[in-house]
Amino acid sequence: MRNPVGGHVPVAGGLAKVGLPYAREMGAEAVQVFVANPRGWATPVGDPVQDERFREECAARSVPAYVHAPYLINFGSHTEATVEKSVLSLRHSLRRAREIGALGVVVHTGSATGGRPREQALAQVRTHMRPLLDELTHDDDPYLLLESTAGQGFSLCSRTWDFGPYFEALDAHPRLGVCLDTCHIYAAGHDLAGPAGMRRTLDLLVETVGEGRLKLIHANDSKDVVGAHKDRHENIGSGHIGEEPFRELFRHPATAGVPLIIETPGGKEGHAADVARLKGLRDTD
């Protein structure tokens, strides 16, 4: 499929029992889940029965699955305890991803806290995140997908070219990839809605990290204007990005085969409408 389109699904009550019916009802061709509280440090053991059902049904329906790591993770933190917990949390997400057959784990790229220079924070990323990549030695291990932020505070990665130093810190490891969030990159200052804005942004990303590194797209419109540095998602076509840049996204060579995941407002009905809207943009020339 040129681009499977799906969404982030709730899993409280059972990964397969709750998540998969929700995915079917929204018409999802790809899914993303949390395997832990996204706003906590807990590393819960999965339910093997739910894991197997989830893995088998996704495989049977050819639905690629992804895990989103908890939001608290920050390898650039000046607090030692936060970095230690970040290591444990991300290792847990990577392990759980393999157990449920997920293709990738999305992690936010974090920020340099405590007033330290970016170089020091990136050195810390190398020290603590690089070994986790080296642990990905199985054929069915997931990719680690870096998701840039909207550019708030002292973000380590918000513009396309910021992925360069981040990849360099991690030696461009073969299991390293990018999750591009359209709302984040727009909020950070890339005018996707301008003339050929999406194409130029994707060109810049490929120039920075190389071909084949874009593994997942978070397809979200933006409630705020370009460069606002605000991470506020809107339904597709209802925000400042609009529909046309998403049509342009589907036509770019860098997105060939890359799944799209929506993280938009509106509950199940809103999600189903956004999935349908993106499929319509994908399937019309």
Side-chain angles (χ1 to χ4, degrees), residues 116-136:
R116 293 171 315 147
R118 290 165 57 89
E119 293 74 19
Q120 188 176 343
L122 284 170
Q124 201 163 276
V125 167
R126 179 180 182 83
T127 299
H128 296 281
M129 191 182 282
R130 182 69 173 77
L132 295 180
L133 284 161
D134 284 335
E135 292 173 13
L136 302 176

Side-chain angles (χ1 to χ4, degrees), residues 6-261:
H8 188 98
V9 300
V11 295
L15 195 65
K17 184 179 179 181
V18 174
L20 292 178
Y22 192 102
R24 285 193 296 271
E25 289 172 37
M26 77 155 84
E29 301 163 335
V31 295
Q32 178 180 273
V33 298
F34 289 123
V35 291
N37 179 352
R39 302 186 187 282
W41 292 115
T43 53
V45 177
D47 178 339
V49 174
Q50 288 291 307
D51 289 356
E52 186 175 0
R53 274 187 57 197
F54 183 87
R55 186 173 59 247
E56 287 182 351
E57 187 164 335
C58 286
R61 294 175 53 221
S62 298
V63 172
Y66 297 85
V67 166
H68 198 307
Y71 301 131
L72 297 182
I73 291 173
N74 183 12
F75 285 82
S77 174
H78 70 292
T79 306
E80 191 174 335
T82 297
V83 176
E84 290 174 359
K85 289 174 183 175
S86 295
V87 171
L88 294 175
S89 180
L90 186 53
R91 180 179 282 122
H92 170 262
S93 288
L94 290 164
R95 177 178 59 79
R96 292 288 294 122
R98 182 156 65 99
E99 290 171 353
I100 67 172
L103 299 182
V105 171
V106 178
V107 64
H108 289 173
T109 45
S111 58
T113 65
R116 293 171 315 147
R118 290 165 57 89
E119 293 74 19
Q120 188 176 343
L122 284 170
Q124 201 163 276
V125 167
R126 179 180 182 83
T127 299
H128 296 281
M129 191 182 282
R130 182 69 173 77
L132 295 180
L133 284 161
D134 284 335
E135 292 173 13
L136 302 176
T137 57
H138 302 84
D139 290 341
D140 58 349
D141 273 329
Y143 281 90
L144 179 60
L145 306 181
L146 302 176
E147 179 181 5
S148 59
T149 67
Q152 319 92 309
F154 299 95
S155 172
L156 288 176
C157 184
S158 58
R159 302 295 293 266
T160 52
W161 44 81
D162 294 333
F163 281 105
Y166 217 106
F167 264 64
E168 192 176 321
L170 297 171
D171 297 323
H173 192 280
R175 281 285 174 180
L176 192 63
V178 170
C179 171
L180 184 72
D181 187 305
T182 54
C183 175
H184 293 183
I185 208 78
Y186 181 77
H190 288 281
D191 189 6
L192 304 180
M198 181 68 79
R199 178 178 58 77
R200 285 204 307 268
T201 300
L202 289 167
D203 285 348
L204 282 168
L205 180 65
V206 173
E207 284 176 23
T208 301
V209 299
E211 295 181 359
R213 292 288 191 169
L214 179 60
K215 302 291 186 183
L216 186 65
I217 294 164
H218 283 170
N220 302 303
D221 212 323
S222 174
K223 288 183 184 291
D224 297 286
V225 297
V226 62
H229 303 300
K230 291 181 179 178
D231 181 10
R232 297 205 306 156
H233 299 183
E234 182 57 280
N235 298 99
I236 305 298
S238 298
H240 287 275
I241 297 175
E243 282 192 2
E244 201 53 40
F246 290 97
R247 194 193 310 274
E248 192 178 355
L249 180 150
F250 285 119
R251 304 293 176 264
H252 197 284
T255 69
V258 178
L260 274 68
I261 294 289

